[in-house]
Amino acid sequence: MEFYLVLAVFGTLAGVTTVLFGFGGGFVVVPVLYRTLVHMHGSESPLGQSAMQVAVATSTCVMIVGAGLATRRHQRAGNVDWAQVRPLLAFIAVGAVAGAAAATVLRSDWVRWTFVAYLALTILDGLLRPGFIRPRAAVATPQDGTRPSGPVTALLGLAIGAVASFLGVGGSVMTVPLMRRRGAPMVQATAAANPLSLPVALAGTATYVLLAWEQAAPLGAWHAGFVDLRAFAVLVAGSWLGIRLGGRFVGRLPDGLHAKVYLALLAVVLLAMLMR
């Protein structure tokens, strides 16, 4: 019971970060679920040895609901720049299948340390390279000729989908920095991360369920592939509440503060994943 109470609290926090920062909940759900599973079952148990895959897969499944609700919220507020979002959607879905497939065959520790390395690089990039804390002058428009070409868009989409699905963190992990450097304000960059998380969530979840169906047998009941169905239900309920609470603050945070809080939250998650 205590396990699900913890998940409900952090599911609510995940909902807040989803709507305000486009995290898709993964940066909250993955560390919490990973740590809790290892603590409860031990690192040498079948569930402990697959803890990172279960955490990533369950987080990816939760994103279907969280990103969908957050997208609807931002769409109503007029924050989503669909001209930049639509070209990436199909390529992200394809990349998500590849990323999830890779995560199902690698050791849990490898997935964990990849998660840690990517977090560290994202934080350093945001702090040291111009264009994140303070955005560039303006967002590119379809008429100005500065949008990426078709091949570049395809490569970006495939990379975003693969990394996001592999780590279970949604579109935010790459799309917020990408759009920020194109000049988007934080509210628009985080809003775009939510619809871009949907193809990751749908394609990634299907892959985690289908490819890991036989591997999940030792994990016990209530698992569909690597997805923990009971944890999923509790996290979705918490996420719904968090999105309702966090939605009240959409567009109200000063842009520079919004960017700094985004990086600060990533740093907190990084520390959590480094702790034994």
Side-chain angles (χ1 to χ4, degrees):
M1 187 65 183
E2 182 181 348
F3 170 57
Y4 294 109
L5 181 60
V6 170
L7 288 187
V9 171
F10 281 95
T12 302
L13 179 58
V16 172
T17 62
T18 295
V19 74
L20 291 180
F21 300 98
F23 281 174
F27 282 123
V28 178
V29 171
V30 171
V32 170
L33 198 50
Y34 169 76
R35 291 291 174 194
T36 306
L37 290 172
V38 171
H39 175 73
M40 289 180 61
H41 300 278
S43 60
E44 299 305 317
S45 69
L47 195 48
Q49 291 178 350
S50 300
M52 195 64 188
Q53 281 92 339
V54 171
V56 169
T58 305
S59 168
T60 303
C61 193
V62 171
M63 275 193 287
I64 296 174
V65 179
L69 292 174
T71 297
R72 183 183 179 189
R73 184 89 188 200
H74 280 292
Q75 173 65 17
R76 286 180 172 179
N79 296 327
V80 182
D81 183 357
W82 288 105
Q84 295 207 53
V85 169
R86 285 193 188 94
L88 292 166
L89 290 173
F91 297 112
I92 285 178
V94 175
V97 172
T104 62
V105 299
L106 293 177
R107 289 179 50 188
S108 185
D109 279 350
W110 291 12
V111 180
R112 176 193 173 207
W113 285 112
T114 303
F115 188 97
V116 167
Y118 193 85
L119 271 178
L121 288 173
T122 301
I123 294 167
L124 288 174
D125 182 71
L127 289 173
L128 301 178
R129 197 154 62 104
F132 189 86
I133 299 296
R134 295 180 180 178
R136 300 188 186 280
V139 180
T141 61
Q143 291 80 21
D144 65 12
T146 60
R147 287 201 184 280
S149 64
V152 172
T153 297
L155 288 173
L156 282 173
L158 292 170
I160 290 169
V163 171
S165 181
F166 184 84
L167 303 180
V169 293
S172 172
V173 71
M174 295 182 74
T175 56
V176 170
L178 171 67
M179 293 194 66
R180 190 69 171 159
R181 298 194 189 289
R182 291 185 182 179
M186 275 299 291
V187 67
Q188 193 177 87
T190 54
N194 286 298
L196 291 175
S197 292
L198 281 172
V200 173
L202 292 166
T205 297
T207 305
Y208 280 121
V209 170
L210 296 175
L211 292 189
W213 194 266
E214 292 184 1
Q215 292 174 261
L219 303 182
W222 295 100
H223 284 82
F226 279 129
V227 177
D228 185 326
L229 296 176
R230 288 179 292 193
F232 164 78
V234 175
L235 288 164
V236 163
S239 181
W240 174 82
L241 177 60
I243 287 170
R244 288 185 65 86
L245 294 173
R248 301 177 182 181
F249 300 96
V250 170
R252 296 186 180 183
L253 293 176
D255 189 75
L257 176 63
H258 200 167
K260 291 174 184 176
V261 173
Y262 180 94
L263 293 178
L265 288 173
L266 295 190
V268 170
V269 175
L270 175 62
L271 292 176
M273 290 302 293
L274 287 171
M275 293 172 62
R276 283 286 181 184

